[in-house]
């Protein structure tokens, strides 16, 4: 066995509570011997790792992760089930803790505001706050201790510091209030501050976990598209149903009407139309005849055929889609929020300042130096209580996400909202995104003015009874425009690659392409021919309706662009944002749509992996890329993009993979999403600025820097008021976002 061999694995991680947890786990795993690549995705709580099994085992990686307070599920038997169970247990626990904390916090706030004069008010609040801090909110001090053990700090450290100091100080005032009063110290309690902070952050985390729970459903649905069994045809022609896992390249398989194709291959006999929208994104089924390629997971329609298996297992196009979606999601490093970065510096600095101020007071030899020292320490820690810092980002994000929802933009996570303002390239899928995704009749021209009355009903019945993908929009068009329609006995026969032949009253009629007419020696006629040529240059799908002598009518079917496409693309270009279009459709059709939508950069004939590669290429050029799509075929590209946007009327998988969803599929919402991101990020920066300014100014005053000048010492009660005011200012600034126009 090659000692240099590396294997790739995905292991669920449990116990992570924030993005910094994911970053910490990733850093640790990367430092282990034998690890060539490691990436922790906080969104789906998974570790993606490449390692040398001769240098390190999965159990050793698990043990390392456990050493920093998290866990790894390395037993691959039922791993996904165990992960789901662990997550659901965590979500239920978080919901219970949030509700319970809120039930106890509300009366504490009411007492602190209106009923402080009642007997034993402080003791009542103390009794209610204890379970909030030490049971329902125990995750914060537990995680803070874990971080401390590894010489680190995060948001949990900030929360623990702020609530702990307020609680300890308030408890001392409550239990030793009489003694302190005798010494001339009249303290105020801050139980409500501790309880409110815990409850608010628990609620925010619960909402975050709920949104995060949907992240992995995209992969689950993709896996659900895989076929479990196939019909194997042996050399003697006998048919046998077998598991797909047993199918080998070269096997002959049968596909019946309505069945999904089990593996990739080539048609040997028979014909049908296959819905390949999951691969190409195109709505019209593709005709399959001898030598045509077929793909696993695509849906066969009414015909049946035999095909030779060519790519099986992990080599199929569908398996590659699943693999690349998974890798793209896992390759993204977790967002390290500014607050978490700052915490590692802010927390120890504040503690040092508080201790130094206390020591200086003791050494000063001033009257009541010990009381002044304690007062300075407590005041510094209370006024530096990072409520404003902790509220700066989540309040702006919450308002921004709510603002997006009001405007038909569903935003799945904060990361996308924060990233969207940096976007300088937008990539659109064609069908269903720029276009409506529903083929319609562009035009129907008759040979003579009397032909609609003579042949309209016949053409309607032929198209109504046909399986051809163009037939439905034509039948629908005639139903809306033609008169005197009724059912007549029409026999319809499909002609592979050409169209259909119909019989009525012992007469034969054809509906199909130019080749069908040429093979039957039927003239198109100069009038209809010129119309057909014009439509073909416009990339319309053209077919003819004829008897066995001459063409009677020419029909053009096309997918039309949305009303919002052209103005949206103009708006993006005006903002200096590059616009690209990718499609699985042919070059001519793609060019026509791109021209109509005002897009200069487009690629046609692309498979899902090609779209994925195109996104990666743009990113390698330094672009921050947004991808907008609606189909299963777009899921790889959506997962890779920096900002992924799904159309609300598209596939569930696209919407699950994307971090933003345009509910109405109106493209004008995309520039609005970018503007909303800019406003939200600006609000976050303003909030952080004021939070820092507040601390920079207030902490020295709390330490007693003004005492030598004018004898001023900041009372902890005033410090608490200042702390509350800083939080109110941050929340108020975030709420201003509601009034902004996007």
């Amino acid at each position: 066995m090659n000692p240099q061999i590396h294997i790739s694995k995905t292991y669920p991680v449990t116990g992570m509570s924030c993005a910094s947890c994911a970053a910490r786990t990733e850093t640790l795993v990367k430092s282990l011997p034998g690890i060539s690549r490691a990436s922790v995705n906080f969104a789906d709580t998974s570790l993606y790792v490449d390692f040398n099994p001769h240098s390190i085992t999965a159990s050793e990686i698990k043990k390392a992760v456990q050493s920093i307070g998290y866990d790894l599920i390395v037993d691959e038997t039922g791993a996904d089930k165990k992960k789901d169970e662990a997550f659901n247990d965590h979500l239920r626990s978080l919901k219970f803790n949030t509700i319970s904390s809120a039930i106890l916090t509300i009366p504490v706030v009411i007492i602190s505001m209106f009923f402080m004069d009642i007997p034993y008010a402080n003791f009542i609040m103390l009794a209610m706050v204890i379970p909030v801090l030490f049971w329902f909110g125990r995750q914060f001090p537990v995680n803070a201790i874990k971080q401390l053990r590894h010489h680190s700090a995060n948001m949990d450290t900030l929360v623990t510091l702020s609530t702990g100091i307020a609680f300890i100080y308030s408890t001392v005032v409550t239990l030793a209030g009489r003694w302190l009063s005798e010494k001339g110290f009249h303290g105020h309690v801050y139980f409500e501050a501790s309880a409110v902070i815990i409850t608010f952050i628990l609620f925010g985390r619960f909402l975050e976990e709920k949104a995060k729970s949907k992240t992995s459903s995209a992969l689950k649905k993709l896996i659900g598209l895989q076929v479990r069994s196939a019909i194997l045809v042996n050399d003697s022609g006998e048919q046998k149903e077998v598991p797909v896992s047993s199918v080998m390249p070269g096997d002959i398989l049968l596909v019946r009407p309505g069945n999904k194709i089990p593996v990739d291959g080539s048609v040997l006999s028979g014909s049908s139309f296959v819905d390949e929208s999951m691969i190409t994104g195109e709505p019209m089924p593709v005709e399959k005849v001898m030598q045509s390629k077929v793909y696993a997971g695509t849906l066969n329609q009414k015909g049946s055929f035999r095909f030779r298996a060519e790519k099986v297992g992990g080599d199929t196009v569908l398996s590659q889609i699943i693999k690349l979606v998974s890798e793209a999601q896992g390759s993204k490093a977790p967002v390290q929020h500014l607050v978490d970065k700052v915490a590692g510096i802010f927390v120890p600095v504040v503690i040092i300042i508080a201790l130094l101020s206390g020591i200086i007071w003791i050494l000063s030899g001033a009257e009541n130096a010990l009381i002044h020292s304690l007062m300075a320490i407590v005041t510094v820690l209370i006024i530096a209580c990072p409520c404003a810092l902790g509220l700066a980002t989540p309040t702006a994000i919450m308002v921004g996400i709510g603002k997006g929802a009001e405007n038909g933009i569903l935003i799945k996570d904060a990361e996308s909202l924060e990233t969207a303002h940096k976007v300088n390239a937008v990539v659109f899928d064609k069908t269903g995104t720029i276009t409506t995704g529903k083929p319609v009749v562009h035009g129907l021209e008759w040979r003579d003015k009397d032909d609609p009355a003579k042949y309209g009903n016949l053409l309607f019945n032929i198209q109504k009874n046909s399986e051809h993908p163009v037939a439905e929009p034509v039948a629908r068009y005639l139903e809306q425009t033609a008169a005197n329609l009724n059912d007549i006995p029409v026999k319809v026969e499909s002609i592979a690659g050409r169209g259909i032949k119909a019989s009525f009253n012992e007469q034969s009629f054809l509906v199909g392409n130019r080749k069908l007419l040429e093979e039957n020696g039927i003239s198109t006629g100069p009038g209809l021919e010129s119309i057909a040529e014009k439509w073909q240059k416009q990339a319309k799908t053209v077919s003819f309706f004829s008897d066995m002598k001459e063409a009677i009518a020419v029909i053009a079917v096309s997918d039309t662009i949305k009303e919002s496409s052209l103005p949206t693309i103009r708006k993006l270009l005006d903002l200096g944002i590059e616009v690209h279009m990718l499609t699985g459709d042919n070059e001519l059709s793609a060019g026509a749509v791109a021209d109509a939508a005002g897009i200069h950069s487009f690629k046609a004939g692309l498979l899902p992996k090609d779209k994925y590669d195109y996104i990666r290429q743009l990113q390698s050029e330094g672009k921050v890329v947004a991808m907008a799509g609606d189909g299963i075929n777009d899921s790889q590209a959506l997962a890779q993009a920096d900002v992924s946007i799904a159309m609300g009327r598209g596939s569930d998988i696209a919407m699950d993979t994307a971090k933003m969803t345009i509910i109405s599929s109106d493209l004008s919402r995309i520039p609005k999403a970018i503007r909303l991101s800019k406003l939200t990020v600006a609000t976050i920066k303003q909030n952080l600025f004021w939070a820092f300014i507040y601390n920079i100014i207030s902490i020295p005053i709390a330490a007693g820097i003004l005492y030598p000048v004018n004898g001023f010492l900041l009372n902890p009660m005033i410090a608490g008021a200042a702390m509350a005011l800083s939080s109110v200012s941050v929340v108020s600034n975030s709420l201003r976002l509601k009034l902004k126009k996007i």
Side-chain angles (χ1 to χ4, degrees), residues 240-276:
K240 181 183 178 182
E241 188 169 340
V242 298
V244 167
S245 56
S246 68
V247 175
M248 303 296 292
D251 286 346
I252 309 301
L253 304 176
L254 172 68
V255 181
R256 291 168 177 161
N259 287 354
K260 286 183 178 179
I261 295 166
V263 298
D264 295 0
S266 296
V267 176
L268 294 176
S269 63
S271 65
S272 184
F273 287 94
V274 176
D275 181 355
E276 294 186 344

Side-chain angles (χ1 to χ4, degrees), residues 631-645:
I632 298 171
N633 64 303
D634 301 320
S635 56
Q636 296 167 250
L638 287 169
Q640 178 62 30
D642 299 288
V643 177
S644 47
I645 306 168

Side-chain angles (χ1 to χ4, degrees), residues 125-138:
M125 290 192 291
L126 172 61
M128 289 183 171
V129 169
I130 285 174
V132 173
L133 265 65
F134 299 106
W135 187 251
F136 304 124
R138 64 188 181 279

Side-chain angles (χ1 to χ4, degrees), residues 330-398:
S331 66
K332 295 181 179 180
V335 176
Q336 185 68 44
H337 294 288
L338 180 58
V339 174
D340 284 328
K341 291 180 180 178
V342 169
I345 302 170
F346 179 82
V347 175
V349 166
V350 169
I351 293 173
I352 290 169
I353 292 172
L355 292 174
L356 284 175
S357 62
I359 292 169
I360 291 169
W361 272 109
I362 291 173
L363 297 176
S364 69
E367 187 179 356
N368 294 320
L370 183 61
I371 293 293
H372 286 320
S373 173
L374 177 64
M375 201 172 165
I377 292 172
V378 171
T379 306
V380 167
L381 291 174
I382 286 178
I383 206 164
C385 179
C387 299
L389 195 60
L391 292 169
T393 300
T395 54
I397 291 294
M398 288 174 69

Side-chain angles (χ1 to χ4, degrees), residues 167-178:
F167 175 79
I168 292 170
Y169 173 77
S170 301
T171 302
V172 171
V173 171
T174 299
L175 300 178
R178 184 173 295 180

